[in-house]
Amino acid sequence: MYVSCFLGPTGRGPADDLPLIDFCVEMGIAADKAGFALVNVGEQHFTGYEPYSDPFVIGGILARELKRAWFGTTVINLAYHNPIHLAEHLNLLDLLTRGKCFLGVSTGHLPFIARQFGVPDGYSKEVAFQRLDVALRAIAKDSGDPPLVWRTDLEEGTLALRIMPVGYRKGHPVVGFATNTDSTIAKAGHQGWPVALGRYNLVESARKMKVYRDALEAAGHPRETVDECLALSSVTKAIVVAETDAEAWRIAENQLRGFMNFTYSVATRRTLEDTRSMKELWDDTVPGGVDIANDSFTAPEWVQASAIVGSPETVARQFGEYEAAGVGHINARFVYGDFDAGEAWRGFRLFAEEVMPRIGARTIPGPSPEQIRPEHLDAGAPAESLSGMFR
């Protein structure tokens, strides 16, 4: 099975920005050494959540530190990015990671945040798809090609030369969707792109992954593409692990409650009234699938969709249930709710030492020689004539 480490802390204010960024870099390096498949970051703005804000900048830092793990984004929000800058940044991360990056993008947006970037209220999912299409066409353009005249419903321009730097992989970097929508999940499968999915219970996770797998297989992609896409595609879970189930639920009561209340208030604009313990909410089994990307959800639905809680044995068993249901990759959060560095490191280390071996956690290989641009196959030190240009 594959496990990612998602770096998404929330700070109390400006004084926490630097310590949290340092924490994310340190945990990303530790995740690489522990055998996690990906180290994932997000993109948030103007709040205390994910204070590194820019996935490309933090990605450039982590790219030089990761030896085995891929770098991933869950998610880059297309509402905030000019398509030509996006093309440059995608190629740069592809190059720095030597083709080991999964760049998940989002076609949705929060209008309140987008307005602060000057994005008009008319911005839509269609514009997001247009921007992504322009970026990929820009990446494909060579210097000798005719100028690329491009436009979206919000902007237009002309690319006369080429995107610099060139990417590492042939075609374009590994791009995919971070989405909860069945139609976009299927679109990713048809295009041969991975998907980063949200928080669902086991039933809904299996259903959505089947939507993806069916589309991926039906499109007739090469086996290499299918295998890489399935390895990279994940669902997201907060992990609360302790020596015993009872201790894990005690920690969950402290760590997950605030996270649940916050996400509920954002989604519903209401206060959560259910005061039962997290364990009681977990035991109040919800029949059928649960997808908390909807506008409202109950407290039991939130817990059952969002978390995996228990001893190493219990957590490993739940991972096995997801794998048996066709979900072979979990994007694991060890930071959630009110930030507690000591608790985050305790849970991370226990998971790495006791759960990863139980589930047979695997890493994902990098691109094959056939997937790499010819410029990079024998890349080494700059040629003598090029070095001499700058003396």
Side-chain angles (χ1 to χ4, degrees), residues 182-214:
D182 281 12
S183 60
T184 307
I185 292 170
K187 181 181 176 71
H190 286 304
Q191 294 186 193
W193 293 359
V195 287
L197 304 180
R199 291 173 287 153
Y200 327 112
N201 68 353
L202 178 60
V203 173
E204 185 66 6
S205 295
R207 189 193 70 78
K208 286 189 183 293
M209 197 58 74
K210 186 177 186 303
V211 170
Y212 175 69
R213 192 184 306 105
D214 287 349

Side-chain angles (χ1 to χ4, degrees), residues 125-209:
K125 179 175 285 193
E126 180 57 34
V127 175
F129 284 127
Q130 291 170 359
R131 283 181 161 179
L132 183 57
D133 178 67
V134 170
L136 297 183
R137 287 193 288 133
I139 287 171
K141 182 187 180 306
D142 291 328
S143 295
D145 293 340
L148 173 64
V149 179
W150 62 268
R151 71 177 303 277
T152 73
D153 289 349
L154 291 184
E155 64 241 311
E156 60 184 35
T158 300
L159 176 65
L161 299 174
R162 69 170 176 96
I163 294 299
M164 184 182 70
V166 69
Y168 192 76
R169 287 178 175 248
K170 293 177 181 177
H172 58 74
V174 179
V175 176
F177 293 118
T179 181
N180 297 298
T181 306
D182 281 12
S183 60
T184 307
I185 292 170
K187 181 181 176 71
H190 286 304
Q191 294 186 193
W193 293 359
V195 287
L197 304 180
R199 291 173 287 153
Y200 327 112
N201 68 353
L202 178 60
V203 173
E204 185 66 6
S205 295
R207 189 193 70 78
K208 286 189 183 293
M209 197 58 74

Side-chain angles (χ1 to χ4, degrees), residues 311-317 319-320 323 350-361:
S311 67
E313 295 83 0
T314 297
V315 170
R317 174 180 55 76
F319 267 70
E323 185 175 30
L350 183 61
F351 181 90
E353 293 169 4
E354 299 292 337
V355 178
M356 299 266 288
R358 284 181 165 90
I359 63 175

Side-chain angles (χ1 to χ4, degrees), residues 215-222 226:
L216 187 66
E217 299 283 357
H221 300 297
V226 172

Side-chain angles (χ1 to χ4, degrees), residues 40 58 61 293-294 320 371:
N40 285 322
I58 195 71
I61 295 169
N294 296 322
Q371 294 173 304

